[in-house]
Amino acid sequence: MGPDKHTVRPAGRGILATAVTVVCAVTVLAAPGTAFAAPSPSPSPSASASPSPSASPSVTLPPDKDLEAVRDKLDKLYHDAAVATDAYNAAEEAAAKQSAEIVELAKKIVQGQRKLDGLKARAGRAAAAQYRTGGLPDTAQLLLSDNPSQFLDGAGRVLQGERATKGLIRELTQTQQDLKQYAADAADQWNKLEAGRKAKAAAKKKIKQRIAAAEKLESTLEKKQKERLAELEREAAYQAQTAWLDTGILDEIHTKASAAGKKAVAFATAQIGKPYVWGAEGPDSYDCSGLTSQAWASAGQPIPRTSEEQWKQLRHIDVKDMRPGDLIIYYDDASHVALYIGDGAIIQAPRPGRTVSIAGAGSMPILGVVRPDA
């Protein structure tokens, strides 16, 4: 599905037509290959309580409220995994910067030590020259001199030498201070690197624990229960998207994508169907911010790696002013991000077990919108 299919259309289009278009994008929570369609009504209690005689008791579904409780638990587990993934990505990004800083500081230390060695050699030569004069006072040297005029000329050069010596001492002192500061900065970066390593390891452990717990919970469900759970997920996303559209928001959005935004949308569209993998930023798999950061990198606009930093650092845009290519940040903790593609739809890398796909922009709680190329 190409990016041109999701550009914003004229304002005259009715909400119903828009909703029909976007309902086709609400299948992010559906299994791959599920048809684009509005969710069917929930079965009535009587239907659940009275299975047909030919039906096996094993396919009798528990009440929807029980499956809703399962869905809420899964949502929490995957949300916790998303938060931990953002922490992992942030630690990894910081580690890369700290490592680069340590390398630069090491270069400065080597250069500073060479400079210090050179300054010490100059100081040694100056001390040797003073030794050769016997260290006599200027008055004594004048009285003993056979050529007073030559001595006075030499005295001027001595004065210049003294000034140069003072400058040399100052430079020596400053270089030693610089080396001391470089060493302290390097030690600080090493400490931060070690703290980041521990933070990354803790985040990785939490991610694996939450995903394992979610997978274990899902494994306890029978096939029919999984199908009904997926249906409930689609219904929830559909209802949230419909409520968002019913505000008339699309009547206010008329902005076209920038040239860079079009490139970002084209990149994201080309990734549809690739699996979500936490910490991944392509080319074969992505997490949510890995997809958005790479989409904009492909457009020549580097942006922060994590959804939290994308929210903090990029320019905030009013929802009614958003255009294709802008990033929609979700949840109060900015733990999820997706790329807006127009017509009330997004492309996102949803969560473990899912693939890069199209969804309704309003199918999750929107925190705000940011623009990478503001």
Side-chain angles (χ1 to χ4, degrees), residues 291-312:
L291 176 65
T292 54
S293 60
Q294 289 303 304
W296 273 98
S298 75
Q301 181 72 46
I303 62 174
R305 169 64 177 88
T306 68
S307 57
E308 185 178 349
E309 289 304 313
Q310 289 170 6
W311 174 243
K312 286 180 180 179

Side-chain angles (χ1 to χ4, degrees), residues 290-354:
L291 176 65
T292 54
S293 60
Q294 289 303 304
W296 273 98
S298 75
Q301 181 72 46
I303 62 174
R305 169 64 177 88
T306 68
S307 57
E308 185 178 349
E309 289 304 313
Q310 289 170 6
W311 174 243
K312 286 180 180 179
Q313 297 185 34
L314 301 180
R315 181 184 171 188
H316 290 202
I317 300 295
D318 195 290
V319 173
K320 65 182 177 60
D321 296 323
M322 68 180 176
R323 65 193 185 192
D326 287 346
L327 306 182
I328 302 181
I329 310 295
Y330 292 96
Y331 304 106
D332 290 342
D333 54 7
S335 58
H336 187 64
V337 60
L339 190 82
Y340 184 64
I341 58 175
D343 276 349
I346 56 172
I347 289 179
Q348 65 167 347
R351 66 164 175 82
R354 304 290 161 82

Side-chain angles (χ1 to χ4, degrees), residues 25-322:
V26 205
T27 58
V28 58
L29 296 175
T34 302
F36 293 129
S40 57
S42 302
S44 64
S46 60
S48 297
S50 305
S52 63
S54 59
S56 167
S58 63
V59 300
T60 301
L61 297 178
D64 279 355
K65 64 178 183 180
D66 293 341
L67 285 176
E68 284 288 2
V70 171
R71 187 172 72 84
D72 288 344
K73 180 65 174 176
L74 287 172
D75 284 348
K76 186 178 187 310
L77 288 169
Y78 282 123
H79 177 265
D80 288 350
V83 173
T85 297
D86 226 31
Y88 177 91
N89 291 335
E92 179 134 291
E93 187 176 36
K97 291 179 180 178
Q98 287 153 4
S99 296
E101 181 65 22
I102 288 171
V103 170
E104 289 304 311
L105 286 168
K107 291 179 181 177
K108 288 180 179 180
I109 289 172
V110 170
Q111 292 168 354
Q113 189 60 57
R114 287 175 179 168
K115 181 179 180 181
L116 185 62
D117 292 343
L119 290 171
K120 286 180 177 179
R122 284 171 55 192
R125 288 194 294 272
Q130 185 178 13
Y131 174 78
R132 284 194 296 272
T133 66
L136 293 173
D138 290 346
T139 304
Q141 292 188 47
L142 175 61
L143 292 173
L144 296 173
S145 175
D146 295 332
N147 188 338
S149 177
Q150 184 179 9
F151 168 78
L152 291 173
D153 289 342
R157 287 193 294 273
V158 168
L159 182 60
Q160 292 176 352
E162 287 177 350
R163 291 172 180 168
T165 299
K166 290 179 181 178
L168 176 61
I169 292 171
R170 284 196 301 269
E171 195 172 2
L172 267 167
T173 302
Q174 185 61 54
T175 301
Q176 288 173 329
Q177 290 175 348
D178 288 345
L179 278 171
K180 186 177 180 180
Q181 187 61 52
Y182 294 153
D185 290 346
D188 184 54
Q189 291 298 330
W190 275 113
N191 290 335
K192 288 180 180 178
L193 193 62
E194 177 60 16
R197 184 193 66 77
K198 292 178 179 178
K200 193 166 85 167
K204 182 177 181 179
K205 182 179 179 180
K206 185 175 182 179
I207 294 166
K208 290 188 172 183
Q209 286 176 340
R210 297 301 187 272
I211 293 176
E215 290 174 344
K216 183 178 180 180
L217 180 57
E218 290 177 315
S219 70
T220 64
L221 302 176
E222 296 182 0
K223 181 180 179 182
K224 289 291 184 182
Q225 292 173 323
K226 290 179 181 179
E227 290 173 354
R228 179 57 186 153
L229 181 62
E231 188 177 354
L232 291 172
E233 291 174 340
R234 290 194 296 273
E235 286 176 1
Y238 170 77
Q239 290 168 5
Q241 175 72 358
T242 301
W244 185 67
L245 291 174
D246 284 347
T247 64
I249 186 65
L250 288 192
D251 288 342
E252 302 181 38
I253 301 175
H254 312 298
T255 313
K256 295 182 180 180
S258 64
K262 289 179 181 177
K263 292 179 181 178
V265 170
F267 178 92
T269 302
Q271 313 312 310
I272 289 176
K274 294 183 179 180
Y276 176 104
V277 174
W278 63 267
E281 47 189 333
D284 300 320
S285 58
Y286 297 88
D287 62 19
C288 67
S289 57
L291 176 65
T292 54
S293 60
Q294 289 303 304
W296 273 98
S298 75
Q301 181 72 46
I303 62 174
R305 169 64 177 88
T306 68
S307 57
E308 185 178 349
E309 289 304 313
Q310 289 170 6
W311 174 243
K312 286 180 180 179
Q313 297 185 34
L314 301 180
R315 181 184 171 188
H316 290 202
I317 300 295
D318 195 290
V319 173
K320 65 182 177 60
D321 296 323
M322 68 180 176

Side-chain angles (χ1 to χ4, degrees), residues 16-30:
L16 179 59
T18 302
V20 171
T21 300
V22 179
V23 165
C24 296
V26 205
T27 58
V28 58
L29 296 175

